[in-house]
Amino acid sequence: MALTTHILDIAHGRPAASVQVQLFSIDEAGTRTQLREDWTNDDGRLNVPMLHADQLKAGEYEMLFFIGNYFASIEQAPADEPRFLQHVCIRFGISAPEEHYHIPLLISPWGYQTYRGS
């Protein structure tokens, strides 16, 4: 299977395009190691999975979404700085690497929601 993500801008009712996403693994000491970086396409998805089936291993991971830059790029008027949400960090565990893990992110300038998708 694979690790994928999808970002929807619920404030504007559309996919969030051109959002920078970084993926880290977290070791037992809590040290982060960057594994990948990519940007979402016009559908709010990555063109390839963050991790393919052969790369998926049990453990703790973190996805960092640069949503402040996204909202700055689409807003007409200048926003207050610093933005309320500049980054969204989702730390999650993979216990069954043979399964598909999908991390959807619903965003607005003032909040976000995530869950394990399919």
mmCIF file of all heavy atoms in Angstrom, residues 65-105:
data_model
loop_
_atom_site.group_PDB
_atom_site.id
_atom_site.type_symbol
_atom_site.label_atom_id
_atom_site.label_comp_id
_atom_site.label_asym_id
_atom_site.label_seq_id
_atom_site.Cartn_x
_atom_site.Cartn_y
_atom_site.Cartn_z
ATOM 1 N N PHE A 65 2.607 20.705 7.101
ATOM 2 C CA PHE A 65 1.913 21.371 6.002
ATOM 3 C C PHE A 65 2.109 22.883 6.142
ATOM 4 O O PHE A 65 1.809 23.456 7.185
ATOM 5 C CB PHE A 65 0.415 21.056 6.050
ATOM 6 C CG PHE A 65 0.092 19.598 5.918
ATOM 7 C CD1 PHE A 65 0.076 18.774 7.032
ATOM 8 C CD2 PHE A 65 -0.213 19.047 4.685
ATOM 9 C CE1 PHE A 65 -0.243 17.432 6.928
ATOM 10 C CE2 PHE A 65 -0.528 17.709 4.571
ATOM 11 C CZ PHE A 65 -0.540 16.895 5.690
ATOM 12 N N PHE A 66 2.569 23.549 5.103
ATOM 13 C CA PHE A 66 2.850 24.977 5.115
ATOM 14 C C PHE A 66 1.614 25.750 4.640
ATOM 15 O O PHE A 66 1.597 26.326 3.550
ATOM 16 C CB PHE A 66 4.063 25.271 4.235
ATOM 17 C CG PHE A 66 5.355 24.756 4.794
ATOM 18 C CD1 PHE A 66 5.640 23.392 4.802
ATOM 19 C CD2 PHE A 66 6.285 25.626 5.325
ATOM 20 C CE1 PHE A 66 6.829 22.909 5.324
ATOM 21 C CE2 PHE A 66 7.481 25.155 5.851
ATOM 22 C CZ PHE A 66 7.748 23.797 5.858
ATOM 23 N N ILE A 67 0.588 25.783 5.466
ATOM 24 C CA ILE A 67 -0.677 26.377 5.027
ATOM 25 C C ILE A 67 -0.672 27.904 5.076
ATOM 26 O O ILE A 67 -1.435 28.540 4.357
ATOM 27 C CB ILE A 67 -1.886 25.806 5.787
ATOM 28 C CG1 ILE A 67 -1.859 26.184 7.251
ATOM 29 C CG2 ILE A 67 -1.974 24.299 5.596
ATOM 30 C CD1 ILE A 67 -3.195 25.944 7.939
ATOM 31 N N GLY A 68 0.169 28.506 5.900
ATOM 32 C CA GLY A 68 0.260 29.968 5.928
ATOM 33 C C GLY A 68 0.685 30.519 4.582
ATOM 34 O O GLY A 68 0.122 31.513 4.100
ATOM 35 N N ASN A 69 1.653 29.899 3.963
ATOM 36 C CA ASN A 69 2.106 30.318 2.632
ATOM 37 C C ASN A 69 0.984 30.163 1.611
ATOM 38 O O ASN A 69 0.817 30.999 0.721
ATOM 39 C CB ASN A 69 3.316 29.504 2.185
ATOM 40 C CG ASN A 69 4.539 29.761 3.033
ATOM 41 O OD1 ASN A 69 4.605 30.733 3.776
ATOM 42 N ND2 ASN A 69 5.506 28.864 2.936
ATOM 43 N N TYR A 70 0.220 29.075 1.733
ATOM 44 C CA TYR A 70 -0.908 28.846 0.821
ATOM 45 C C TYR A 70 -1.925 29.977 0.930
ATOM 46 O O TYR A 70 -2.305 30.583 -0.070
ATOM 47 C CB TYR A 70 -1.570 27.491 1.106
ATOM 48 C CG TYR A 70 -2.937 27.368 0.482
ATOM 49 C CD1 TYR A 70 -3.079 27.154 -0.884
ATOM 50 C CD2 TYR A 70 -4.081 27.501 1.256
ATOM 51 C CE1 TYR A 70 -4.333 27.071 -1.460
ATOM 52 C CE2 TYR A 70 -5.338 27.412 0.682
ATOM 53 C CZ TYR A 70 -5.457 27.196 -0.673
ATOM 54 O OH TYR A 70 -6.712 27.122 -1.248
ATOM 55 N N PHE A 71 -2.368 30.281 2.166
ATOM 56 C CA PHE A 71 -3.370 31.327 2.325
ATOM 57 C C PHE A 71 -2.827 32.692 1.911
ATOM 58 O O PHE A 71 -3.545 33.510 1.329
ATOM 59 C CB PHE A 71 -3.941 31.334 3.746
ATOM 60 C CG PHE A 71 -4.938 30.230 3.964
ATOM 61 C CD1 PHE A 71 -4.659 29.203 4.842
ATOM 62 C CD2 PHE A 71 -6.140 30.209 3.282
ATOM 63 C CE1 PHE A 71 -5.576 28.165 5.038
ATOM 64 C CE2 PHE A 71 -7.057 29.192 3.457
ATOM 65 C CZ PHE A 71 -6.770 28.172 4.331
ATOM 66 N N ALA A 72 -1.558 32.957 2.147
ATOM 67 C CA ALA A 72 -0.958 34.217 1.711
ATOM 68 C C ALA A 72 -0.992 34.337 0.185
ATOM 69 O O ALA A 72 -1.183 35.430 -0.348
ATOM 70 C CB ALA A 72 0.478 34.319 2.214
ATOM 71 N N SER A 73 -0.848 33.222 -0.519
ATOM 72 C CA SER A 73 -0.798 33.257 -1.984
ATOM 73 C C SER A 73 -2.166 33.473 -2.625
ATOM 74 O O SER A 73 -2.242 33.913 -3.771
ATOM 75 C CB SER A 73 -0.178 31.967 -2.525
ATOM 76 O OG SER A 73 -1.093 30.885 -2.420
ATOM 77 N N ILE A 74 -3.260 33.195 -1.913
ATOM 78 C CA ILE A 74 -4.594 33.318 -2.526
ATOM 79 C C ILE A 74 -5.408 34.493 -1.995
ATOM 80 O O ILE A 74 -6.452 34.809 -2.559
ATOM 81 C CB ILE A 74 -5.409 32.021 -2.362
ATOM 82 C CG1 ILE A 74 -5.721 31.740 -0.902
ATOM 83 C CG2 ILE A 74 -4.718 30.847 -3.022
ATOM 84 C CD1 ILE A 74 -6.769 30.659 -0.695
ATOM 85 N N GLU A 75 -4.955 35.142 -0.935
ATOM 86 C CA GLU A 75 -5.736 36.226 -0.348
ATOM 87 C C GLU A 75 -5.418 37.550 -1.018
ATOM 88 O O GLU A 75 -4.268 37.832 -1.355
ATOM 89 C CB GLU A 75 -5.476 36.306 1.156
ATOM 90 C CG GLU A 75 -6.034 35.096 1.886
ATOM 91 C CD GLU A 75 -5.631 35.047 3.350
ATOM 92 O OE1 GLU A 75 -4.835 35.885 3.801
ATOM 93 O OE2 GLU A 75 -6.121 34.134 4.032
ATOM 94 N N GLN A 76 -6.445 38.372 -1.186
ATOM 95 C CA GLN A 76 -6.303 39.682 -1.819
ATOM 96 C C GLN A 76 -5.673 40.690 -0.853
ATOM 97 O O GLN A 76 -4.749 41.394 -1.202
ATOM 98 C CB GLN A 76 -7.678 40.193 -2.261
ATOM 99 C CG GLN A 76 -8.407 39.254 -3.205
ATOM 100 C CD GLN A 76 -7.812 39.266 -4.594
ATOM 101 O OE1 GLN A 76 -7.316 40.287 -5.024
ATOM 102 N NE2 GLN A 76 -7.824 38.146 -5.276
ATOM 103 N N ALA A 77 -6.216 40.764 0.360
ATOM 104 C CA ALA A 77 -5.751 41.749 1.338
ATOM 105 C C ALA A 77 -4.655 41.146 2.202
ATOM 106 O O ALA A 77 -4.637 39.946 2.453
ATOM 107 C CB ALA A 77 -6.923 42.182 2.218
ATOM 108 N N PRO A 78 -3.737 41.971 2.691
ATOM 109 C CA PRO A 78 -2.698 41.443 3.595
ATOM 110 C C PRO A 78 -3.322 40.922 4.887
ATOM 111 O O PRO A 78 -4.283 41.489 5.383
ATOM 112 C CB PRO A 78 -1.804 42.648 3.877
ATOM 113 C CG PRO A 78 -2.370 43.801 3.147
ATOM 114 C CD PRO A 78 -3.606 43.383 2.427
ATOM 115 N N ALA A 79 -2.766 39.871 5.379
ATOM 116 C CA ALA A 79 -3.261 39.265 6.618
ATOM 117 C C ALA A 79 -2.434 39.750 7.793
ATOM 118 O O ALA A 79 -1.339 40.278 7.618
ATOM 119 C CB ALA A 79 -3.175 37.741 6.516
ATOM 120 N N ASP A 80 -2.987 39.554 8.971
ATOM 121 C CA ASP A 80 -2.214 39.846 10.175
ATOM 122 C C ASP A 80 -1.003 38.934 10.210
ATOM 123 O O ASP A 80 -1.075 37.777 9.810
ATOM 124 C CB ASP A 80 -3.060 39.592 11.424
ATOM 125 C CG ASP A 80 -4.219 40.564 11.545
ATOM 126 O OD1 ASP A 80 -4.112 41.675 10.998
ATOM 127 O OD2 ASP A 80 -5.222 40.208 12.173
ATOM 128 N N GLU A 81 0.104 39.465 10.667
ATOM 129 C CA GLU A 81 1.315 38.658 10.812
ATOM 130 C C GLU A 81 1.710 38.641 12.274
ATOM 131 O O GLU A 81 1.649 39.681 12.923
ATOM 132 C CB GLU A 81 2.456 39.227 9.970
ATOM 133 C CG GLU A 81 2.228 39.111 8.471
ATOM 134 C CD GLU A 81 2.241 37.689 7.936
ATOM 135 O OE1 GLU A 81 2.834 36.802 8.603
ATOM 136 O OE2 GLU A 81 1.679 37.448 6.875
ATOM 137 N N PRO A 82 2.101 37.585 12.865
ATOM 138 C CA PRO A 82 2.109 36.273 12.212
ATOM 139 C C PRO A 82 0.690 35.737 12.065
ATOM 140 O O PRO A 82 -0.214 36.102 12.815
ATOM 141 C CB PRO A 82 2.926 35.411 13.172
ATOM 142 C CG PRO A 82 2.721 36.023 14.513
ATOM 143 C CD PRO A 82 2.554 37.497 14.260
ATOM 144 N N ARG A 83 0.523 34.864 11.099
ATOM 145 C CA ARG A 83 -0.778 34.239 10.873
ATOM 146 C C ARG A 83 -1.125 33.338 12.047
ATOM 147 O O ARG A 83 -0.241 32.793 12.697
ATOM 148 C CB ARG A 83 -0.747 33.409 9.593
ATOM 149 C CG ARG A 83 -0.599 34.254 8.371
ATOM 150 C CD ARG A 83 -0.506 33.412 7.115
ATOM 151 N NE ARG A 83 -0.512 34.297 5.975
ATOM 152 C CZ ARG A 83 -1.610 34.783 5.417
ATOM 153 N NH1 ARG A 83 -2.787 34.447 5.876
ATOM 154 N NH2 ARG A 83 -1.527 35.610 4.398
ATOM 155 N N PHE A 84 -2.423 33.170 12.279
ATOM 156 C CA PHE A 84 -2.858 32.292 13.354
ATOM 157 C C PHE A 84 -2.324 30.882 13.137
ATOM 158 O O PHE A 84 -1.779 30.264 14.041
ATOM 159 C CB PHE A 84 -4.397 32.283 13.461
ATOM 160 C CG PHE A 84 -4.898 31.393 14.553
ATOM 161 C CD1 PHE A 84 -4.681 31.717 15.887
ATOM 162 C CD2 PHE A 84 -5.569 30.221 14.266
ATOM 163 C CE1 PHE A 84 -5.122 30.896 16.904
ATOM 164 C CE2 PHE A 84 -6.017 29.392 15.273
ATOM 165 C CZ PHE A 84 -5.794 29.725 16.592
ATOM 166 N N LEU A 85 -2.487 30.343 11.932
ATOM 167 C CA LEU A 85 -1.923 29.036 11.580
ATOM 168 C C LEU A 85 -0.943 29.220 10.428
ATOM 169 O O LEU A 85 -1.339 29.486 9.301
ATOM 170 C CB LEU A 85 -3.013 28.043 11.153
ATOM 171 C CG LEU A 85 -3.963 27.569 12.236
ATOM 172 C CD1 LEU A 85 -5.057 26.682 11.626
ATOM 173 C CD2 LEU A 85 -3.219 26.805 13.310
ATOM 174 N N GLN A 86 0.315 29.093 10.725
ATOM 175 C CA GLN A 86 1.338 29.151 9.684
ATOM 176 C C GLN A 86 1.652 27.737 9.186
ATOM 177 O O GLN A 86 1.814 27.509 8.002
ATOM 178 C CB GLN A 86 2.614 29.810 10.211
ATOM 179 C CG GLN A 86 3.714 29.959 9.195
ATOM 180 C CD GLN A 86 3.353 30.872 8.034
ATOM 181 O OE1 GLN A 86 2.585 31.813 8.160
ATOM 182 N NE2 GLN A 86 3.887 30.562 6.865
ATOM 183 N N HIS A 87 1.729 26.798 10.132
ATOM 184 C CA HIS A 87 2.023 25.393 9.816
ATOM 185 C C HIS A 87 1.027 24.504 10.544
ATOM 186 O O HIS A 87 0.589 24.825 11.641
ATOM 187 C CB HIS A 87 3.428 24.999 10.297
ATOM 188 C CG HIS A 87 4.509 25.825 9.687
ATOM 189 N ND1 HIS A 87 5.026 26.944 10.305
ATOM 190 C CD2 HIS A 87 5.163 25.707 8.517
ATOM 191 C CE1 HIS A 87 5.955 27.464 9.535
ATOM 192 N NE2 HIS A 87 6.067 26.735 8.443
ATOM 193 N N VAL A 88 0.705 23.388 9.928
ATOM 194 C CA VAL A 88 -0.040 22.329 10.601
ATOM 195 C C VAL A 88 0.876 21.120 10.653
ATOM 196 O O VAL A 88 1.405 20.680 9.628
ATOM 197 C CB VAL A 88 -1.355 21.983 9.876
ATOM 198 C CG1 VAL A 88 -1.987 20.732 10.458
ATOM 199 C CG2 VAL A 88 -2.329 23.158 9.938
ATOM 200 N N CYS A 89 1.071 20.606 11.854
ATOM 201 C CA CYS A 89 1.939 19.455 12.074
ATOM 202 C C CYS A 89 1.071 18.301 12.557
ATOM 203 O O CYS A 89 0.379 18.424 13.570
ATOM 204 C CB CYS A 89 2.990 19.835 13.115
ATOM 205 S SG CYS A 89 4.054 18.465 13.549
ATOM 206 N N ILE A 90 1.110 17.203 11.835
ATOM 207 C CA ILE A 90 0.342 16.024 12.228
ATOM 208 C C ILE A 90 1.328 14.894 12.502
ATOM 209 O O ILE A 90 2.047 14.447 11.603
ATOM 210 C CB ILE A 90 -0.655 15.597 11.134
ATOM 211 C CG1 ILE A 90 -1.619 16.749 10.856
ATOM 212 C CG2 ILE A 90 -1.395 14.328 11.544
ATOM 213 C CD1 ILE A 90 -2.521 16.519 9.687
ATOM 214 N N ARG A 91 1.368 14.446 13.749
ATOM 215 C CA ARG A 91 2.224 13.331 14.142
ATOM 216 C C ARG A 91 1.326 12.107 14.281
ATOM 217 O O ARG A 91 0.311 12.158 14.955
ATOM 218 C CB ARG A 91 2.940 13.630 15.451
ATOM 219 C CG ARG A 91 4.111 12.671 15.688
ATOM 220 C CD ARG A 91 4.961 13.103 16.841
ATOM 221 N NE ARG A 91 5.939 14.099 16.423
ATOM 222 C CZ ARG A 91 7.079 14.317 17.064
ATOM 223 N NH1 ARG A 91 7.381 13.635 18.146
ATOM 224 N NH2 ARG A 91 7.924 15.233 16.643
ATOM 225 N N PHE A 92 1.715 11.022 13.638
ATOM 226 C CA PHE A 92 0.864 9.832 13.599
ATOM 227 C C PHE A 92 1.730 8.579 13.596
ATOM 228 O O PHE A 92 2.922 8.636 13.307
ATOM 229 C CB PHE A 92 -0.049 9.856 12.357
ATOM 230 C CG PHE A 92 0.704 9.926 11.057
ATOM 231 C CD1 PHE A 92 0.985 8.775 10.345
ATOM 232 C CD2 PHE A 92 1.160 11.145 10.568
ATOM 233 C CE1 PHE A 92 1.690 8.834 9.152
ATOM 234 C CE2 PHE A 92 1.869 11.221 9.375
ATOM 235 C CZ PHE A 92 2.128 10.066 8.674
ATOM 236 N N GLY A 93 1.108 7.470 13.925
ATOM 237 C CA GLY A 93 1.805 6.196 13.953
ATOM 238 C C GLY A 93 1.321 5.267 12.861
ATOM 239 O O GLY A 93 0.142 5.282 12.493
ATOM 240 N N ILE A 94 2.217 4.460 12.353
ATOM 241 C CA ILE A 94 1.885 3.399 11.397
ATOM 242 C C ILE A 94 2.181 2.080 12.085
ATOM 243 O O ILE A 94 3.330 1.808 12.439
ATOM 244 C CB ILE A 94 2.689 3.543 10.090
ATOM 245 C CG1 ILE A 94 2.228 4.801 9.361
ATOM 246 C CG2 ILE A 94 2.559 2.289 9.230
ATOM 247 C CD1 ILE A 94 2.951 5.075 8.063
ATOM 248 N N SER A 95 1.139 1.306 12.316
ATOM 249 C CA SER A 95 1.309 0.025 12.998
ATOM 250 C C SER A 95 1.159 -1.162 12.042
ATOM 251 O O SER A 95 1.595 -2.255 12.358
ATOM 252 C CB SER A 95 0.288 -0.103 14.135
ATOM 253 O OG SER A 95 -1.020 0.007 13.621
ATOM 254 N N ALA A 96 0.521 -0.928 10.899
ATOM 255 C CA ALA A 96 0.290 -2.004 9.926
ATOM 256 C C ALA A 96 0.764 -1.520 8.551
ATOM 257 O O ALA A 96 -0.041 -1.061 7.740
ATOM 258 C CB ALA A 96 -1.189 -2.377 9.911
ATOM 259 N N PRO A 97 2.067 -1.588 8.274
ATOM 260 C CA PRO A 97 2.592 -1.032 7.022
ATOM 261 C C PRO A 97 2.084 -1.728 5.762
ATOM 262 O O PRO A 97 2.274 -1.205 4.665
ATOM 263 C CB PRO A 97 4.104 -1.183 7.158
ATOM 264 C CG PRO A 97 4.335 -2.127 8.271
ATOM 265 C CD PRO A 97 3.121 -2.117 9.136
ATOM 266 N N GLU A 98 1.424 -2.841 5.928
ATOM 267 C CA GLU A 98 0.850 -3.511 4.756
ATOM 268 C C GLU A 98 -0.481 -2.865 4.343
ATOM 269 O O GLU A 98 -1.031 -3.184 3.290
ATOM 270 C CB GLU A 98 0.650 -5.011 5.030
ATOM 271 C CG GLU A 98 -0.411 -5.349 6.056
ATOM 272 C CD GLU A 98 0.033 -5.191 7.511
ATOM 273 O OE1 GLU A 98 1.195 -4.830 7.773
ATOM 274 O OE2 GLU A 98 -0.796 -5.419 8.392
ATOM 275 N N GLU A 99 -0.984 -1.924 5.153
ATOM 276 C CA GLU A 99 -2.242 -1.239 4.850
ATOM 277 C C GLU A 99 -1.954 0.134 4.228
ATOM 278 O O GLU A 99 -0.846 0.650 4.324
ATOM 279 C CB GLU A 99 -3.065 -1.052 6.130
ATOM 280 C CG GLU A 99 -3.514 -2.357 6.739
ATOM 281 C CD GLU A 99 -4.319 -2.160 8.022
ATOM 282 O OE1 GLU A 99 -4.655 -0.996 8.353
ATOM 283 O OE2 GLU A 99 -4.591 -3.156 8.696
ATOM 284 N N HIS A 100 -2.981 0.717 3.617
ATOM 285 C CA HIS A 100 -2.876 2.064 3.058
ATOM 286 C C HIS A 100 -3.140 3.079 4.167
ATOM 287 O O HIS A 100 -4.068 2.920 4.957
ATOM 288 C CB HIS A 100 -3.906 2.251 1.942
ATOM 289 C CG HIS A 100 -3.801 3.579 1.265
ATOM 290 N ND1 HIS A 100 -2.922 3.813 0.245
ATOM 291 C CD2 HIS A 100 -4.444 4.744 1.481
ATOM 292 C CE1 HIS A 100 -3.039 5.074 -0.143
ATOM 293 N NE2 HIS A 100 -3.958 5.662 0.599
ATOM 294 N N TYR A 101 -2.311 4.109 4.240
ATOM 295 C CA TYR A 101 -2.503 5.206 5.192
ATOM 296 C C TYR A 101 -2.707 6.490 4.395
ATOM 297 O O TYR A 101 -1.848 6.878 3.603
ATOM 298 C CB TYR A 101 -1.292 5.343 6.126
ATOM 299 C CG TYR A 101 -1.284 4.313 7.218
ATOM 300 C CD1 TYR A 101 -0.874 3.009 6.959
ATOM 301 C CD2 TYR A 101 -1.704 4.628 8.502
ATOM 302 C CE1 TYR A 101 -0.869 2.047 7.967
ATOM 303 C CE2 TYR A 101 -1.702 3.675 9.516
ATOM 304 C CZ TYR A 101 -1.288 2.392 9.232
ATOM 305 O OH TYR A 101 -1.295 1.438 10.225
ATOM 306 N N HIS A 102 -3.853 7.121 4.613
ATOM 307 C CA HIS A 102 -4.184 8.374 3.931
ATOM 308 C C HIS A 102 -4.447 9.428 5.005
ATOM 309 O O HIS A 102 -5.230 9.185 5.927
ATOM 310 C CB HIS A 102 -5.419 8.195 3.040
ATOM 311 C CG HIS A 102 -5.773 9.418 2.264
ATOM 312 N ND1 HIS A 102 -4.964 9.922 1.275
ATOM 313 C CD2 HIS A 102 -6.842 10.249 2.341
ATOM 314 C CE1 HIS A 102 -5.534 11.012 0.767
ATOM 315 N NE2 HIS A 102 -6.663 11.234 1.400
ATOM 316 N N ILE A 103 -3.759 10.563 4.902
ATOM 317 C CA ILE A 103 -3.880 11.632 5.884
ATOM 318 C C ILE A 103 -4.530 12.837 5.189
ATOM 319 O O ILE A 103 -3.837 13.684 4.620
ATOM 320 C CB ILE A 103 -2.496 12.039 6.457
ATOM 321 C CG1 ILE A 103 -1.678 10.830 6.913
ATOM 322 C CG2 ILE A 103 -2.659 13.075 7.563
ATOM 323 C CD1 ILE A 103 -2.254 10.070 8.068
ATOM 324 N N PRO A 104 -5.873 12.923 5.215
ATOM 325 C CA PRO A 104 -6.518 14.096 4.640
ATOM 326 C C PRO A 104 -6.435 15.269 5.617
ATOM 327 O O PRO A 104 -6.408 15.084 6.830
ATOM 328 C CB PRO A 104 -7.974 13.668 4.452
ATOM 329 C CG PRO A 104 -8.112 12.346 5.102
ATOM 330 C CD PRO A 104 -6.803 11.925 5.657
ATOM 331 N N LEU A 105 -6.383 16.472 5.070
ATOM 332 C CA LEU A 105 -6.321 17.673 5.895
ATOM 333 C C LEU A 105 -7.342 18.669 5.361
ATOM 334 O O LEU A 105 -7.313 19.024 4.180
ATOM 335 C CB LEU A 105 -4.910 18.273 5.850
ATOM 336 C CG LEU A 105 -4.679 19.518 6.689
ATOM 337 C CD1 LEU A 105 -4.860 19.217 8.178
ATOM 338 C CD2 LEU A 105 -3.284 20.089 6.426
#
